Amino acid sequence: MWEFTDPLFDFARRRREPAVVQTLRSTAAAVISYVVALHLSSEPAPLTAPLTALLVVQVTLYTTLVTAVRRVNSVVVGVLLAVGFSSLVGLTWWSLGLIILAALVVGRFVKVGEFVPEVAISAMLVLGVTRVSATAWDRVLETLIGAGVGMLFNMLLAPPVWVDSAGGAIEELAARMRRLLVDLGDEVGGHTPVAQAAARLHEARRLDHDIAQVDASLRQAEDSLRLNPRVKEGLLSRVVLRTGLDTLEISAVVLRVVCRSLTDLAKERTQEHLFDPDVGLALRDVFEHLARAIESFAVLITTQVSATAEEAERRLTDELTAGRASRDRVADLLLAEVQRHPRQWQLHGALLAEVDRILDELDVEKRSQRLVEELDRLSREQRQRWHVLRRIRGRAQQALRLAGPEDRRP
């Protein structure tokens, strides 16, 4: 059957992806800001307004507001520097270098973030024209138009919440960890060549890159929950996902150490099995329980349905209980093996310790404790911010009470 692969059809099918949403929203905001600037600015082609809208409109409302404030701040600072320089000196090579240096230095102090070069750009563009005051006002006006349109665009048409995409990324990470554990369980019962063990170690190391990608997706989801009118319990969702990713990250690090221990064993036992058959079967059982536990943990932290979450928590508890029992059976078998063959006993102990660490990280009670601690920490920070604001307001009211009638008169 012929498959329709038109680029526009594919673009529409992927309309929920962040890149597609960013493209559509930025284009619409830029066009609207240009039309508004044509009616309010004296410039024949007020391109600063759509440029500002392109930079301001982001895939989340929070980043849009932050970007808008930084962008307006950078332009205003650059224009003020240009106006000040134009009243003292004209445009020469040394004045140009001086204003660029001053703009870049001042930009660091006014905290405009990634828009530090914009301070120098605004100053240069204004300084290079003959009608400095008119051009300066038009540039500030166009920047305010672009920033205002961008913010109104995201306030009236609130951007989507990216929790589902972050949850999907977490589940994909857990699925890769699960496959790695299943593969390890299939290999520990027989002869494992060094090259094969090293390949598993390399696969475990690639999880670091996967975690970085998931972390970026989670940061975007966290920003989409802030100041978003669609979200009622944004703080709880952010904390659940963030603490869950922290647990998976620690487990991935420990899993890499497990692969390192098995690789070292493979180097020492090139002509024999890694473990005796009964030990290999018991270890396979441990790895399979760990694999299913990680899968259940990912479902638990990403689902929004209580019934599904309860079922995932029940499966996680069962797998952890069975995993600990299998771990104890492996410990007894390894102890008997070490007494018969004392070679590489330290690697056996390290392997058991690494299994214990993963089981401990996935523990349901420990997860609940982390959630409570993180929520308490965020609540304290919020109370401290409100306390500072109340103290500032109290001092202002006290100053007004102490001021005389003449001081209070406008």
Side-chain angles (χ1 to χ4, degrees):
M1 181 177 179
W2 181 70
E3 184 179 356
F4 187 64
T5 58
D6 185 80
L8 292 178
F9 177 78
D10 183 65
F11 185 84
R13 182 173 55 85
R14 301 168 58 189
R15 64 187 182 275
R16 287 285 300 171
E17 295 185 4
V20 176
V21 174
Q22 174 76 353
T23 301
L24 296 177
R25 299 174 72 85
S26 297
T27 301
V31 173
I32 294 173
S33 63
Y34 181 75
V35 173
V36 175
L38 282 175
H39 292 82
L40 299 180
S41 176
S42 61
E43 291 287 329
L47 295 177
T48 302
L51 174 62
T52 302
L54 285 174
L55 295 174
V56 165
V57 175
Q58 303 292 321
V59 294
T60 66
L61 179 60
Y62 175 77
T63 52
T64 294
L65 295 175
V66 172
T67 305
V69 172
R70 290 177 178 176
R71 169 77 181 184
V72 172
N73 193 17
S74 64
V75 172
V76 171
V77 171
V79 167
L80 292 177
L81 286 174
V83 172
F85 268 78
S86 65
S87 62
L88 299 176
V89 296
L91 179 59
T92 62
W93 67 268
W94 60 269
S95 64
L96 178 63
L98 189 60
I99 195 173
I100 292 175
L101 177 63
L104 294 178
V105 172
V106 173
R108 300 291 180 181
F109 287 98
V110 295
K111 299 184 183 303
V112 295
E114 68 274 18
F115 292 116
V116 170
E118 180 65 26
V119 180
I121 293 173
S122 299
M124 286 190 296
L125 292 178
V126 174
L127 185 64
V129 298
T130 54
R131 297 169 58 247
V132 174
S133 58
T135 303
W137 164 247
D138 288 335
R139 184 164 176 81
V140 172
L141 176 61
E142 293 170 20
T143 301
L144 291 174
I145 291 173
V149 170
M151 288 189 293
L152 287 176
F153 195 86
N154 268 13
M155 287 180 179
L156 297 178
L157 300 174
V161 178
W162 300 108
V163 173
D164 290 341
S165 61
I170 290 176
E171 290 181 353
E172 290 178 3
L173 171 64
R176 286 190 287 270
M177 296 173 62
R178 177 188 179 279
R179 286 194 297 269
L180 180 56
L181 282 166
V182 171
D183 292 339
L184 291 177
D186 293 338
E187 296 171 1
V188 292
H191 173 66
T192 303
V194 177
Q196 185 175 347
R200 298 301 177 202
L201 177 59
H202 182 67
E203 185 178 349
R205 287 170 176 167
R206 285 201 301 267
L207 291 175
D208 292 339
H209 177 68
D210 297 335
I211 290 173
Q213 292 181 331
V214 176
D215 182 68
S217 178
L218 182 54
R219 285 199 302 271
Q220 179 177 269
E222 290 172 337
D223 289 341
S224 70
L225 293 172
R226 296 176 180 175
L227 307 179
N228 197 316
R230 300 182 182 183
V231 180
K232 296 181 179 180
E233 297 181 355
L235 177 61
L236 181 60
S237 298
R238 296 204 314 265
V239 172
V240 169
L241 291 176
R242 175 56 63 184
T243 54
L245 179 59
D246 291 341
T247 297
L248 290 178
E249 183 176 4
I250 296 173
S251 300
V253 172
V254 180
L255 182 55
R256 187 172 69 242
V257 180
V258 170
C259 294
R260 176 78 264 179
S261 299
L262 294 177
T263 302
D264 291 340
L265 278 172
K267 292 178 181 179
E268 296 293 335
R269 301 174 181 178
T270 57
Q271 304 300 325
E272 55 185 315
H273 291 181
L274 286 183
F275 300 97
D276 289 343
D278 52 349
V279 178
L281 289 176
L283 272 175
R284 179 180 180 178
D285 195 35
V286 171
F287 287 140
E288 288 180 349
H289 286 304
L290 288 178
R292 290 193 290 266
I294 287 179
E295 183 181 36
S296 299
F297 180 83
V299 174
L300 176 61
I301 65 176
T302 56
T303 185
Q304 302 296 323
V305 183
S306 59
T308 306
E310 291 177 359
E311 176 64 20
E313 184 172 351
R314 185 190 62 78
R315 291 199 307 268
L316 174 60
T317 303
D318 294 341
E319 295 296 340
L320 291 177
T321 301
R324 290 189 177 94
S326 298
R327 181 266 176 207
D328 293 338
R329 185 164 61 254
V330 170
D332 294 336
L333 294 173
L334 285 178
L335 179 59
E337 183 178 346
V338 167
Q339 292 174 347
R340 294 194 307 267
H341 307 289
R343 294 186 305 152
Q344 294 87 45
W345 61 268
Q346 69 277 13
L347 293 177
H348 295 171
L351 184 61
L352 290 175
E354 292 146 11
V355 170
D356 288 339
R357 181 64 186 273
I358 296 178
L359 291 170
D360 183 62
E361 289 297 327
L362 297 176
D363 186 73
V364 175
E365 293 183 0
K366 187 170 184 178
R367 169 183 172 271
S368 301
Q369 182 180 357
R370 284 181 176 175
L371 285 176
V372 172
E373 291 175 352
E374 187 66 15
L375 288 172
D376 288 343
R377 184 185 66 83
L378 294 175
S379 298
R380 287 195 302 270
E381 291 180 355
Q382 190 173 11
R383 286 196 299 269
Q384 289 175 357
R385 286 195 295 266
W386 282 110
H387 176 70
V388 172
L389 292 177
R390 286 195 298 268
R391 187 170 56 185
I392 294 175
R393 184 181 63 181
R395 289 181 177 178
Q397 293 174 349
Q398 184 180 8
L400 289 175
R401 287 195 298 269
L402 294 177
E406 296 81 4
D407 297 329
R408 289 187 222 151
R409 187 181 302 124

